Amino acid sequence: MENVQLHNLSIGYQNKGNSKVVASGLNATINRGELTCLLGRNGIGKSTLLRTLSVFQPALDGEVMMDTTPLATLTDKERSRLIGIVLTEKPDVQNMTIEELVGMGRSPYTGFWGTLDSDDEAIVSEAIRLVGVESLKGRMIHTLSDGERQKVMIAKALAQQTPIIYLDEPTAFLDFPSKVEMMQLLRRLAVEEQKTVFLSTHDVELSLQLADCIWLMEPDRLNVGTPHQLAEEGALSRFIEHDGITFDRATLTIHVTK
């Protein structure tokens, strides 16, 4: 199934024997074939949760499972064949083509020297096709726009052929049409390629329109459900509404007064 489950997960930091708990008692499932968006205020722990799900950072308690397998028990190589990660940071690379960067996604399979055979090259070409940047083949990475570069990084994750893809703020630095296109692409990959796609974002309205599932972090809870479910429960109103900002639960729209 390649679903990701959180079982009584506590996240945070260990420092000289002391634990700083960011969130605890988290129980939820990221479903295969769905786009799941993680929302929450700055400093609430979204990045900490994403790092813990990626096993970049150890859990303080509880487990992150893929089906029946605890991810923390796997080797780095085993995890690299299960989880692809796309970070916010722009890749600082020069003199590298799109194909070469996407080809780096094959590293869990190509061994020390990273030489691609014809099968690897076919997988790279298919990943480039899936994200719609075939017309950019041969271009150097440093010549791309932010949106083009982000698509190439997603292609690299697709070339890794992992059932799970995590993304940290994939729409950061993009203009609005590019944000929409990126979110549409990620949902299409989740549904059509049956990937487990999970991303953190500040693009609330786009998430409410395109996500199959929302995870909304609050100081004392993790709210999980469809956008309409979280609207009906009042969780989205608590998160969105402030002075001069109202939220329409029926239409999932945000209104700002002048």
Side-chain angles (χ1 to χ4, degrees):
M1 287 292 294
E2 289 96 27
N3 294 334
V4 177
Q5 297 111 27
L6 281 59
H7 294 300
N8 294 317
L9 186 70
S10 292
I11 61 173
Y13 303 90
Q14 292 277 6
N15 185 23
K16 296 181 180 179
N18 296 319
S19 297
K20 179 185 178 183
V21 178
V22 173
S24 61
L26 304 180
N27 291 280
T29 299
I30 311 172
N31 292 311
R32 180 186 180 191
E34 293 184 355
L35 175 63
T36 302
C37 292
L38 173 65
L39 304 177
R41 294 194 177 96
N42 289 335
I44 198 70
K46 298 190 301 297
S47 295
T48 304
L49 176 56
L50 198 58
R51 285 194 298 270
T52 307
L53 293 177
S54 308
V55 202
F56 284 168
Q57 182 171 324
L60 297 181
D61 198 10
E63 288 184 315
V64 180
M65 312 277 290
M66 194 186 89
D67 299 330
T68 59
T69 304
L71 290 178
T73 65
L74 301 178
T75 65
D76 289 344
K77 184 174 183 178
E78 288 170 332
R79 284 197 294 268
S80 72
R81 296 188 177 195
L82 291 176
I83 301 172
I85 299 168
V86 181
L87 300 175
T88 307
E89 292 81 9
K90 300 175 185 178
D92 184 19
V93 293
Q94 301 288 331
N95 300 319
M96 181 179 286
T97 66
I98 287 171
E99 295 93 323
E100 289 169 337
L101 181 58
V102 175
M104 291 175 66
R106 298 302 300 155
S107 60
Y109 311 94
T110 56
F112 180 78
W113 297 107
T115 303
L116 304 188
D117 62 20
S118 58
D119 289 338
D120 294 313
E121 290 173 351
I123 290 166
V124 168
S125 293
E126 175 64 6
I128 290 172
R129 185 194 69 79
L130 284 171
V131 302
V133 292
E134 288 176 292
S135 63
L136 302 178
K137 279 187 173 182
R139 288 269 300 276
M140 307 300 271
I141 296 298
H142 68 273
T143 70
L144 303 179
S145 69
D146 289 338
E148 291 168 342
R149 190 183 298 111
Q150 195 71 314
K151 287 181 181 179
V152 171
M153 295 305 294
I154 293 171
K156 175 177 174 288
L158 288 175
Q160 200 173 331
Q161 289 193 313
T162 59
I164 302 165
I165 300 177
Y166 295 144
L167 305 101
D168 183 19
E169 294 285 349
T171 56
F173 313 119
L174 303 184
D175 58 31
F176 185 73
S178 298
K179 288 177 186 285
V180 174
E181 185 182 7
M182 181 63 62
M183 292 289 280
Q184 289 172 327
L185 167 64
L186 292 171
R187 186 171 192 279
R188 188 168 69 248
L189 292 173
V191 175
E192 295 179 5
E193 301 299 318
Q194 284 296 290
K195 300 285 188 181
T196 304
V197 181
F198 181 84
L199 63 93
S200 65
T201 182
H202 284 100
D203 288 313
V204 177
E205 288 187 284
L206 281 181
S207 298
L208 298 184
Q209 293 182 62
L210 293 172
D212 298 291
C213 183
I214 297 288
W215 287 21
L216 174 58
M217 291 187 74
E218 293 187 280
D220 58 347
R221 74 186 82 178
L222 175 64
N223 305 280
V224 177
T226 67
H228 281 289
Q229 286 172 338
L230 296 192
E232 291 169 6
E233 294 167 5
L236 289 172
S237 294
R238 289 195 302 270
F239 171 55
I240 294 168
E241 292 188 336
H242 295 277
D243 290 342
I245 306 173
T246 58
F247 176 66
D248 188 317
R249 298 186 185 190
T251 61
L252 302 179
T253 53
I254 300 169
H255 301 280
V256 179
T257 58
K258 295 181 180 179

